[in-house]
Amino acid sequence: MLEEPLSLLIVVSGFYQAQLMLVFPPATDEVMSKMVLFTVILTHTWAIARLTDNLITQYLVPLVQNSDCRYYTRVRIFSSGLWVPSQPWMLQATMLRR
Protein backbone atom coordinates (compact mmCIF):
# COMPACT_ATOMS: atom_id res chain seq x y z
CA MET A 1 0.00 0.00 0.00
CA LEU A 2 2.59 2.57 1.04
CA GLU A 3 5.74 0.74 -0.06
CA GLU A 4 6.26 2.70 -3.26
CA PRO A 5 5.86 6.19 -1.78
CA LEU A 6 8.10 5.30 1.16
CA SER A 7 10.81 3.89 -1.08
CA LEU A 8 10.65 7.03 -3.21
CA LEU A 9 11.04 9.15 -0.07
CA ILE A 10 14.15 7.17 0.85
CA VAL A 11 15.64 7.74 -2.61
CA VAL A 12 14.80 11.46 -2.48
CA SER A 13 16.36 11.78 0.97
CA GLY A 14 19.52 10.21 -0.49
CA PHE A 15 19.55 12.84 -3.24
CA TYR A 16 19.07 15.53 -0.60
CA GLN A 17 21.99 14.26 1.49
CA ALA A 18 24.18 14.09 -1.64
CA GLN A 19 23.21 17.65 -2.53
CA LEU A 20 24.26 18.83 0.95
CA MET A 21 27.67 17.17 0.64
CA LEU A 22 28.47 18.32 -2.90
CA VAL A 23 29.39 21.88 -3.82
CA PHE A 24 27.30 23.41 -6.60
CA PRO A 25 26.94 26.96 -7.87
CA PRO A 26 24.20 28.84 -5.97
CA ALA A 27 21.75 28.79 -8.89
CA THR A 28 22.14 25.04 -9.40
CA ASP A 29 21.84 24.42 -5.66
CA GLU A 30 18.60 26.42 -5.52
CA VAL A 31 17.10 24.55 -8.49
CA MET A 32 18.00 21.19 -6.97
CA SER A 33 16.49 22.21 -3.62
CA LYS A 34 13.24 23.16 -5.33
CA MET A 35 13.19 19.88 -7.26
CA VAL A 36 13.70 17.88 -4.05
CA LEU A 37 10.96 19.85 -2.28
CA PHE A 38 8.57 19.34 -5.20
CA THR A 39 9.29 15.60 -5.23
CA VAL A 40 8.73 15.31 -1.46
CA ILE A 41 5.40 17.16 -1.70
CA LEU A 42 4.31 15.01 -4.64
CA THR A 43 5.30 11.82 -2.80
CA HIS A 44 3.37 12.83 0.32
CA THR A 45 0.31 13.58 -1.80
CA TRP A 46 0.65 10.20 -3.50
CA ALA A 47 0.92 8.42 -0.13
CA ILE A 48 -2.13 10.22 1.29
CA ALA A 49 -4.17 9.44 -1.84
CA ARG A 50 -3.25 5.74 -1.71
CA LEU A 51 -3.94 5.53 2.01
CA THR A 52 -7.33 7.21 1.63
CA ASP A 53 -8.31 5.01 -1.30
CA ASN A 54 -7.32 1.84 0.54
CA LEU A 55 -9.14 2.87 3.70
CA ILE A 56 -12.30 3.55 1.72
CA THR A 57 -12.17 0.29 -0.22
CA GLN A 58 -11.16 -1.86 2.77
CA TYR A 59 -13.39 -0.42 5.51
CA LEU A 60 -16.09 1.91 4.21
CA VAL A 61 -17.33 -0.12 1.25
CA PRO A 62 -17.88 -3.36 3.23
CA LEU A 63 -19.50 -1.37 6.04
CA VAL A 64 -22.01 0.20 3.66
CA GLN A 65 -22.65 -3.04 1.79
CA ASN A 66 -23.47 -4.87 5.03
CA SER A 67 -25.62 -2.03 6.38
CA ASP A 68 -29.36 -2.45 6.85
CA CYS A 69 -30.06 1.24 6.34
CA ARG A 70 -32.31 1.90 3.33
CA TYR A 71 -30.45 5.00 2.19
CA TYR A 72 -26.98 3.44 2.14
CA THR A 73 -28.13 0.37 0.26
CA ARG A 74 -29.22 2.68 -2.58
CA VAL A 75 -25.86 4.42 -2.80
CA ARG A 76 -22.87 3.46 -4.90
CA ILE A 77 -19.45 4.26 -3.50
CA PHE A 78 -16.68 4.93 -5.96
CA SER A 79 -13.01 4.48 -5.10
CA SER A 80 -12.61 8.25 -4.84
CA GLY A 81 -15.01 8.26 -1.89
CA LEU A 82 -17.81 10.00 -3.76
CA TRP A 83 -21.28 8.82 -2.78
CA VAL A 84 -23.68 8.89 -5.72
CA PRO A 85 -27.29 7.67 -5.61
CA SER A 86 -27.80 4.77 -7.97
CA GLN A 87 -30.94 6.36 -9.47
CA PRO A 88 -31.58 10.10 -10.03
CA TRP A 89 -35.01 9.98 -8.38
CA MET A 90 -33.42 8.72 -5.16
CA LEU A 91 -31.55 11.97 -4.73
CA GLN A 92 -34.76 13.93 -5.09
CA ALA A 93 -36.60 11.62 -2.69
CA THR A 94 -33.93 11.95 0.00
CA MET A 95 -33.91 15.74 -0.39
CA LEU A 96 -37.69 15.90 -0.01
CA ARG A 97 -37.62 13.88 3.22
CA ARG A 98 -35.48 16.44 5.01
Side-chain angles (χ1 to χ4, degrees):
M1 172 169 66
L2 294 176
E3 295 89 6
E4 293 90 358
L6 288 178
S7 63
L8 184 59
L9 278 176
I10 291 170
V11 170
V12 170
S13 67
F15 278 114
Y16 179 72
Q17 291 297 324
Q19 177 200 1
L20 292 178
M21 292 184 181
L22 296 174
V23 178
F24 292 109
T28 306
D29 196 34
E30 183 178 339
V31 168
M32 289 181 68
S33 294
K34 289 182 180 181
M35 286 176 27
V36 167
L37 179 64
F38 175 75
T39 307
V40 167
I41 291 171
L42 193 63
T43 305
H44 278 95
T45 306
W46 180 27
I48 291 170
R50 289 193 66 168
L51 182 65
T52 305
D53 184 49
N54 284 332
L55 287 175
I56 287 172
T57 56
Q58 295 295 321
Y59 295 108
L60 191 59
V61 170
L63 180 70
V64 171
Q65 287 174 348
N66 295 334
S67 175
D68 291 336
C69 182
R70 288 179 27 207
Y71 178 71
Y72 291 123
T73 56
R74 297 177 184 163
V75 174
R76 280 186 266 155
I77 298 181
F78 295 103
S79 62
S80 64
L82 181 64
W83 292 12
V84 178
S86 54
Q87 300 293 330
W89 61 267
M90 290 180 191
L91 180 61
Q92 294 170 354
T94 56
M95 294 173 93
L96 290 175
R97 283 186 226 164
R98 291 184 188 176

